[in-house]
Amino acid sequence: MHHMTLAEIARGLADKKFSSVELPQVLLARIAQLDPQLNSFISLTEELALSPAQAAAARRANGESGALLGAPIAHKDLFCTQGIRTSCGSKMLDNFKAPYDATVVARLAAAGTVTLGKTNMDEFAMGSANESSYYGAVKNPWNLEHVPGGSSGGSAAAVAARLLPAATATDPGGSIRQPAAFTNLTGLKPTYGRVSRWGMIAYASSLDQGGPLARTAEACAILLQGMAGFDPNDSPSIDEPVPDYSASLKGSLQGLRIGVPKEYFSAGLDPRIAELVHNSVKELEKLGAVIKEISLPNMQHAIPAYYVIAPAEASSNLSRFDGVRFGHRCENPENLIDLYKRSRGEGFGAEVQRRIMVGASALSAGYYDAYYLKAQKIRRLVKNDFMAAFNEVDIILGPTTPNPAWKLGAKNSDPVAEYLEDVYTITANLAGLPGLSMPAGFVDGLPVGVQLLAPYFQEGRLLNVAHQYQLNTDWHTRTPTGF
Ligand code: GLN
């Protein structure tokens, strides 16, 4: 049962092959048996799974249908879940029980999903390895000595290990696409404003965006359908109709113009990954796509710009965690300043503290123009590059990451080395564009992802291309040994 994709589960439930009450039992038993190796969950919500599962079964018995009705999922632990710990991977929020559900959580629950737990993540979504979590590192099911990617490493490891068919995740800088690439999954970062951020604990507000992580594009289409849509509670949420993503999977790729940026194939890219990217291009050409070389000349500036803008926003967002309004409070403070200092010093881990300092300094009067303002100008140039490229092509294709998943601990002493791994994903966040990563082969037994980017609100196009690719390749069907 655990090998079924989200779409197969939906069909099985519709055909009454099994019930939505059996599924959580099977998966929770698997989680109990296998997750100790992976550490992909922060909280399990076993006791809360039964009644939604029974409710979904009753709705189906009453003739209701819907691909998510009875589907077991988990939420990244930064989506607020009413009455359930929402830790954001931080000691700061270790005892925080959200008083309400995030819009994404509420929408998926209304569609009939059954939440099995909250997944592990880098602290406050800061990281590309899922090693900065207060709850310990997550392991990659493809090789337990390697990282699963971050910051949505728990969602990725759980789905890749077949503990769940799909999970929610967020991607302010690549945190859906990069772990998808590292664990052989399909992951979609929607257009900024497509999925509500309301009830998602903020990291970098102008970049934060939730989306689906699953094994196939077909499954991502199903989960995205339940997540997307206008939300008056979220100011950048855009009131655009949500298309039928499952219907968009079927389009032909005949004549589709795919742009491959020449800057992608620089010295930093593992040549074995470059070869797999070229293979995926050939596969799509066979399906009728037309390939064109394009240029994204400002791409080289994207990492420094992101690592100013994201920490700047984080330093502002995280100021609310002061031991008074929100978050961990130290024991026996001597006075108010001591309370702030020690509560924040104890509650935040090293990477979070580093980013708060970087961000606060970039926003300070003396440095604002030199760093923050300059980074915002670069952001516009990066966006302009994409706008020019999308005048010529329908999709941009390239590697998701320059290297496969690295060994646990390999980059701990050098944060910048880890930041550089975000080179291919971060530009889409700066521009607010949708992006998808799909499985495209293996290097040394570790999965490799290919990234597709599309113009605003063209999530359907991304899912279409990935689905057609997956109908003609079998990378996405490979399962890690032992799971
Ligand atoms: N790796 C990037 C960072 O550390 C992106 C993380 C993310 O998308 N949450 O900020």
Side-chain angles (χ1 to χ4, degrees), residues 343-370:
S343 299
R344 286 169 69 80
E346 292 167 11
F348 290 135
E351 183 61 22
V352 176
Q353 293 190 24
R354 179 181 299 122
R355 295 201 190 188
I356 290 173
M357 286 191 285
V358 167
S361 125
L363 289 175
S364 63
Y367 291 116
Y368 184 91
D369 288 354

Short mmCIF file of all heavy atoms in Angstrom, two decimals, residues 343-370:
data_model
loop_
_atom_site.label_atom_id
_atom_site.label_comp_id
_atom_site.label_asym_id
_atom_site.label_seq_id
_atom_site.Cartn_x
_atom_site.Cartn_y
_atom_site.Cartn_z
N SER A 343 16.94 34.81 26.30
CA SER A 343 15.86 34.04 25.65
C SER A 343 16.21 33.82 24.18
O SER A 343 16.08 32.71 23.65
CB SER A 343 14.52 34.78 25.75
OG SER A 343 14.16 34.95 27.09
N ARG A 344 16.68 34.87 23.52
CA ARG A 344 17.01 34.74 22.09
C ARG A 344 18.30 33.92 21.90
O ARG A 344 18.40 33.14 20.96
CB ARG A 344 17.12 36.13 21.44
CG ARG A 344 15.73 36.76 21.25
CD ARG A 344 15.80 38.22 20.86
NE ARG A 344 16.32 38.49 19.52
CZ ARG A 344 15.62 38.39 18.38
NH1 ARG A 344 14.37 37.97 18.41
NH2 ARG A 344 16.17 38.70 17.23
N GLY A 345 19.25 34.12 22.79
CA GLY A 345 20.50 33.36 22.70
C GLY A 345 20.28 31.87 22.91
O GLY A 345 20.91 31.04 22.24
N GLU A 346 19.36 31.53 23.82
CA GLU A 346 19.10 30.11 24.08
C GLU A 346 18.15 29.52 23.05
O GLU A 346 18.26 28.35 22.69
CB GLU A 346 18.46 29.95 25.48
CG GLU A 346 19.38 30.28 26.63
CD GLU A 346 18.62 30.43 27.97
OE1 GLU A 346 17.43 30.07 28.04
OE2 GLU A 346 19.25 30.92 28.93
N GLY A 347 17.21 30.34 22.59
CA GLY A 347 16.14 29.81 21.73
C GLY A 347 16.56 29.60 20.28
O GLY A 347 16.09 28.69 19.61
N PHE A 348 17.45 30.45 19.78
CA PHE A 348 17.87 30.36 18.37
C PHE A 348 19.18 29.60 18.24
O PHE A 348 20.12 29.84 19.01
CB PHE A 348 18.09 31.76 17.78
CG PHE A 348 16.85 32.58 17.58
CD1 PHE A 348 16.82 33.92 17.96
CD2 PHE A 348 15.72 32.04 16.97
CE1 PHE A 348 15.68 34.70 17.76
CE2 PHE A 348 14.58 32.82 16.76
CZ PHE A 348 14.56 34.14 17.16
N GLY A 349 19.29 28.79 17.22
CA GLY A 349 20.54 28.10 16.91
C GLY A 349 21.51 29.00 16.17
O GLY A 349 21.20 30.15 15.83
N ALA A 350 22.70 28.45 15.87
CA ALA A 350 23.80 29.25 15.33
C ALA A 350 23.48 29.88 13.98
O ALA A 350 23.76 31.05 13.74
CB ALA A 350 25.05 28.39 15.22
N GLU A 351 22.87 29.11 13.07
CA GLU A 351 22.61 29.64 11.73
C GLU A 351 21.59 30.78 11.80
O GLU A 351 21.71 31.79 11.10
CB GLU A 351 22.14 28.52 10.79
CG GLU A 351 21.90 28.94 9.34
CD GLU A 351 23.14 29.49 8.63
OE1 GLU A 351 24.27 29.19 9.06
OE2 GLU A 351 22.97 30.23 7.64
N VAL A 352 20.58 30.61 12.63
CA VAL A 352 19.56 31.65 12.77
C VAL A 352 20.18 32.92 13.35
O VAL A 352 19.94 34.04 12.86
CB VAL A 352 18.38 31.15 13.63
CG1 VAL A 352 17.36 32.25 13.86
CG2 VAL A 352 17.71 29.95 12.96
N GLN A 353 21.02 32.76 14.35
CA GLN A 353 21.68 33.94 14.94
C GLN A 353 22.57 34.64 13.91
O GLN A 353 22.59 35.86 13.82
CB GLN A 353 22.51 33.52 16.15
CG GLN A 353 21.64 33.02 17.29
CD GLN A 353 22.41 32.81 18.58
OE1 GLN A 353 23.45 33.40 18.80
NE2 GLN A 353 21.89 31.95 19.43
N ARG A 354 23.29 33.82 13.12
CA ARG A 354 24.15 34.41 12.08
C ARG A 354 23.32 35.26 11.13
O ARG A 354 23.65 36.40 10.79
CB ARG A 354 24.85 33.29 11.32
CG ARG A 354 25.76 33.79 10.21
CD ARG A 354 26.42 32.63 9.46
NE ARG A 354 27.24 31.83 10.32
CZ ARG A 354 27.10 30.51 10.54
NH1 ARG A 354 26.15 29.84 9.94
NH2 ARG A 354 27.89 29.87 11.34
N ARG A 355 22.18 34.72 10.69
CA ARG A 355 21.38 35.45 9.71
C ARG A 355 20.72 36.70 10.30
O ARG A 355 20.56 37.70 9.62
CB ARG A 355 20.34 34.52 9.10
CG ARG A 355 21.03 33.42 8.31
CD ARG A 355 20.12 32.81 7.31
NE ARG A 355 20.74 31.61 6.76
CZ ARG A 355 20.26 30.93 5.75
NH1 ARG A 355 19.13 31.31 5.18
NH2 ARG A 355 20.87 29.85 5.31
N ILE A 356 20.33 36.61 11.58
CA ILE A 356 19.75 37.81 12.20
C ILE A 356 20.80 38.91 12.23
O ILE A 356 20.50 40.08 11.94
CB ILE A 356 19.23 37.48 13.62
CG1 ILE A 356 17.98 36.59 13.51
CG2 ILE A 356 18.91 38.76 14.40
CD1 ILE A 356 17.47 36.07 14.84
N MET A 357 22.02 38.54 12.54
CA MET A 357 23.09 39.56 12.60
C MET A 357 23.37 40.13 11.21
O MET A 357 23.49 41.35 11.03
CB MET A 357 24.35 38.98 13.22
CG MET A 357 24.18 38.80 14.71
SD MET A 357 25.71 38.42 15.56
CE MET A 357 25.95 36.74 15.12
N VAL A 358 23.47 39.25 10.21
CA VAL A 358 23.72 39.71 8.84
C VAL A 358 22.58 40.63 8.40
O VAL A 358 22.80 41.72 7.85
CB VAL A 358 23.84 38.51 7.87
CG1 VAL A 358 23.79 38.96 6.41
CG2 VAL A 358 25.12 37.73 8.14
N GLY A 359 21.36 40.21 8.65
CA GLY A 359 20.19 40.97 8.19
C GLY A 359 20.08 42.30 8.89
O GLY A 359 19.83 43.34 8.25
N ALA A 360 20.28 42.30 10.22
CA ALA A 360 20.15 43.56 10.97
C ALA A 360 21.23 44.54 10.52
O ALA A 360 20.98 45.74 10.38
CB ALA A 360 20.25 43.29 12.47
N SER A 361 22.41 43.99 10.22
CA SER A 361 23.47 44.91 9.81
C SER A 361 23.20 45.44 8.40
O SER A 361 23.41 46.63 8.12
CB SER A 361 24.82 44.20 9.99
OG SER A 361 25.55 44.18 8.84
N ALA A 362 22.68 44.60 7.51
CA ALA A 362 22.38 45.08 6.15
C ALA A 362 21.28 46.14 6.16
O ALA A 362 21.23 46.99 5.27
CB ALA A 362 21.95 43.90 5.26
N LEU A 363 20.41 46.08 7.15
CA LEU A 363 19.31 47.06 7.22
C LEU A 363 19.69 48.32 8.00
O LEU A 363 18.93 49.28 8.02
CB LEU A 363 18.08 46.43 7.87
CG LEU A 363 17.34 45.38 7.05
CD1 LEU A 363 16.22 44.77 7.88
CD2 LEU A 363 16.77 45.98 5.77
N SER A 364 20.85 48.31 8.64
CA SER A 364 21.19 49.45 9.50
C SER A 364 21.52 50.67 8.64
O SER A 364 21.95 50.54 7.48
CB SER A 364 22.35 49.10 10.43
OG SER A 364 23.50 48.82 9.65
N ALA A 365 21.35 51.84 9.21
CA ALA A 365 21.45 53.09 8.44
C ALA A 365 22.73 53.17 7.63
O ALA A 365 22.73 53.52 6.45
CB ALA A 365 21.33 54.28 9.38
N GLY A 366 23.85 52.77 8.22
CA GLY A 366 25.13 52.92 7.53
C GLY A 366 25.33 51.97 6.37
O GLY A 366 26.15 52.23 5.49
N TYR A 367 24.62 50.84 6.37
CA TYR A 367 24.87 49.82 5.36
C TYR A 367 23.70 49.61 4.40
O TYR A 367 23.80 48.84 3.44
CB TYR A 367 25.21 48.48 6.03
CG TYR A 367 26.54 48.49 6.72
CD1 TYR A 367 26.63 48.35 8.10
CD2 TYR A 367 27.72 48.66 5.99
CE1 TYR A 367 27.87 48.36 8.73
CE2 TYR A 367 28.95 48.68 6.61
CZ TYR A 367 29.01 48.53 7.99
OH TYR A 367 30.23 48.55 8.60
N TYR A 368 22.58 50.24 4.69
CA TYR A 368 21.35 50.00 3.92
C TYR A 368 21.58 50.17 2.42
O TYR A 368 21.27 49.29 1.62
CB TYR A 368 20.26 50.96 4.42
CG TYR A 368 18.92 50.75 3.78
CD1 TYR A 368 17.98 49.90 4.34
CD2 TYR A 368 18.58 51.43 2.60
CE1 TYR A 368 16.74 49.71 3.75
CE2 TYR A 368 17.34 51.25 2.01
CZ TYR A 368 16.43 50.38 2.58
OH TYR A 368 15.22 50.20 2.00
N ASP A 369 22.15 51.30 2.02
CA ASP A 369 22.35 51.57 0.58
C ASP A 369 23.34 50.60 -0.04
O ASP A 369 23.16 50.13 -1.16
CB ASP A 369 22.86 53.00 0.36
CG ASP A 369 21.76 54.01 0.62
OD1 ASP A 369 20.61 53.59 0.84
OD2 ASP A 369 22.05 55.22 0.61
N ALA A 370 24.40 50.30 0.71
CA ALA A 370 25.46 49.47 0.15
C ALA A 370 25.02 48.02 -0.02
O ALA A 370 25.48 47.35 -0.95
CB ALA A 370 26.69 49.53 1.04
#
